[in-house]
Amino acid sequence: MINIPIALDAMGGDFAPESIIKGADFALSSLICSDNYKVHFSIYGQEDKVMPILLKYKKLRENSTFIHVEDVVLASDKPSFAVRHRKQSSMARAIDDVKKGIVSGAISSGNTGALMAISRFILGTLPNIDRPAITTALPSIDKDFVLLDLGANVECNADSLFQFAVMGNAFAKAVLNRKNPRVALLNVGHEEIKGTDTIREAFSLLKKFESGINFCGYVEANDVLKGDIDVVVVDGFSGNVMLKIMESLSENIFTLLKKSIDYSLATRFAGLLLKFQLKKEFYRFNPKIRNGAMLLGLNGVIVKSHGNADSIAFAHAIRVAVNAIYNNINVKIASELNSVE
Amino acid sequence: MINIPIALDAMGGDFAPESIIKGADFALSSLICSDNYKVHFSIYGQEDKVMPILLKYKKLRENSTFIHVEDVVLASDKPSFAVRHRKQSSMARAIDDVKKGIVSGAISSGNTGALMAISRFILGTLPNIDRPAITTALPSIDKDFVLLDLGANVECNADSLFQFAVMGNAFAKAVLNRKNPRVALLNVGHEEIKGTDTIREAFSLLKKFESGINFCGYVEANDVLKGDIDVVVVDGFSGNVMLKIMESLSENIFTLLKKSIDYSLATRFAGLLLKFQLKKEFYRFNPKIRNGAMLLGLNGVIVKSHGNADSIAFAHAIRVAVNAIYNNINVKIASELNSVE
């Protein structure tokens, strides 16, 4: 049994601190129960706001330490401002304690730009990584695939795309348990002449590194969801578009499905008959269980939870962090990168 | 009653020439029946392949002229090769006749790169347009929006994005009948500091042109599908990703919905009860009725049909071309661009 200490920024996101406290308690009782590890939380927040809620959750109280902080990162803070002026915020203090080794990772639903900037400033990047990438697993038809970058780098050079591929490969192995992950570059066509100079250059770099990575060349967006590819590498602009369009299109279709079911007595009855199967087939499309994106490439485990995450969603972000820490994701990335040279 | 003569490349796409001939006949009898116009087709193809099929469709035979050609553009042809060496192909001859004014527009399911290159070479672009954009209408929650560019320009400068906005605005007015289309630039956030230098520069150009366009600033991908925006402007790389991910995610969800319905006798019964409502709500998500993307900005109406379009899908591409021609799309774009200066 190993101990996994994790820092929680209790002040970030639309429903803080309630969603964080309730989510952490839910995670302890339902999502991260294991004989292999034991999780302890350090909770950073403003005492008058957090304590009245924390007192209600016994399981969490017994497995956490509360640390009062004076300051909070605002959603409107520019990253550079947050780095300079929010050193005593719940977010910065949580990351500080990752740096000091007091905790093994930190989770925040707060300002993404600030979280990335403060993390880079305090933790730095792993050796041979120029820029961290935001990373998550998304649903294809029958399994999950890793997508990166989701928006940390709206413009990327070929070296960055190459490094994303190496990090995504390690993530797919360590967190998704894929043996020999199939890694591809997102492009507008399969042919080698397609895409931008940057993408073609990244293609060459990955071709040369074939021994270290199961590189499958280019993949088009319509083939990504067929389930053949484990890791999809793309710049942060297109990755952000892809992530958000997947979330909102699923939401639209499910809204229209509900509308169809709500139409009449007969269709509502049909909905009852289908309920169990629909829940089973579409469980993987529930955005709540998808919450928690890793800022991959930092010298520490930092997980970004969605700003509008509720307690269930936040609990899943905790699950992501625990998985990453338990599976030593950063040690594995570092060792894969060592083999590049 | 006006006459609309349209050229059809009978040799392009996976199911040519059957899908083209059958689709044109279906369009005549079901999709483009109007008291306002009368469509006549010029069909370009290899006689031994096309005639045996054409003879089976009386309605089409009576409303078309067949033109035998010797050559065909292959799916594997590079655009530059097609421009130089496929002058006698069904594709090039169809576009030639647009240039000569014999027909008002042309439709092909063939090689996209070749279609764009040959069209630019023969027709040229509209005044003040540097680069054409591939354009289509896609489903938001309750209505359609125009998305461009879908892949003609994997890299775009600010001037091109500005021109796409003007063209998309004209398309939304002329083809989707929107009075004062809401036009937005796709970006990774709402704030003015977000995105690349190019996007911020396009933002400034569009801000300055506020009198000519109802410019709504940046839109994020998850807000695009809420139905508030009529025209979404983006570079061809991200636009291509967005189009293809929308198509394939819808397909995946509908596959899993069918799987749920096929599970048991009870769920199949539920499927029957829901069938009518599902068809109604999801009609707009049917990729067949979405077939037909305009190469907007050319000095002529050119419509690209999907390579794997069947006859129903091809008929919808014809509908797109007829709408664009009937509504004088290019005259409207040219007049909007005149007002820029």
Side-chain angles (χ1 to χ4, degrees), chain B residues 35-73:
Chain B
D35 292 337
N36 299 324
Y37 54 75
K38 191 178 174 313
V39 175
H40 181 93
F41 293 114
S42 294
I43 300 173
Y44 303 75
Q46 290 170 315
E47 191 163 2
D48 56 330
K49 289 182 180 136
V50 176
M51 276 317 272
I53 301 169
L54 186 53
L55 286 172
K56 290 194 267 177
Y57 294 94
K58 182 156 172 279
K59 180 116 192 169
L60 178 59
R61 242 170 39 238
E62 288 168 357
N63 293 279
S64 67
T65 309
F66 176 74
I67 298 108
H68 172 70
V69 297
E70 296 291 340
D71 202 9
V72 168
V73 171

Side-chain angles (χ1 to χ4, degrees), chain B residues 253-314:
Chain B
I253 294 180
F254 295 137
T255 299
L256 295 174
L257 180 57
K258 275 190 194 120
K259 195 176 159 199
S260 304
I261 287 173
D262 282 342
Y263 179 71
S264 71
L265 211 63
T267 55
R268 281 200 291 276
F269 176 63
L272 282 178
L273 292 176
L274 276 171
K275 195 173 176 183
F276 183 79
Q277 281 310 112
L278 292 178
K279 278 207 164 166
K280 196 180 111 191
E281 294 298 340
F282 292 120
Y283 176 74
R284 295 171 50 246
F285 290 78
N286 182 348
K288 289 187 187 181
I289 70 150
R290 296 281 158 196
N291 189 41
M294 269 202 74
L295 308 193
L296 215 53
L298 291 167
N299 199 0
V301 169
I302 303 293
V303 169
K304 170 70 176 84
S305 160
H306 210 294
N308 68 11
D310 65 6
S311 58
I312 304 287
F314 192 79

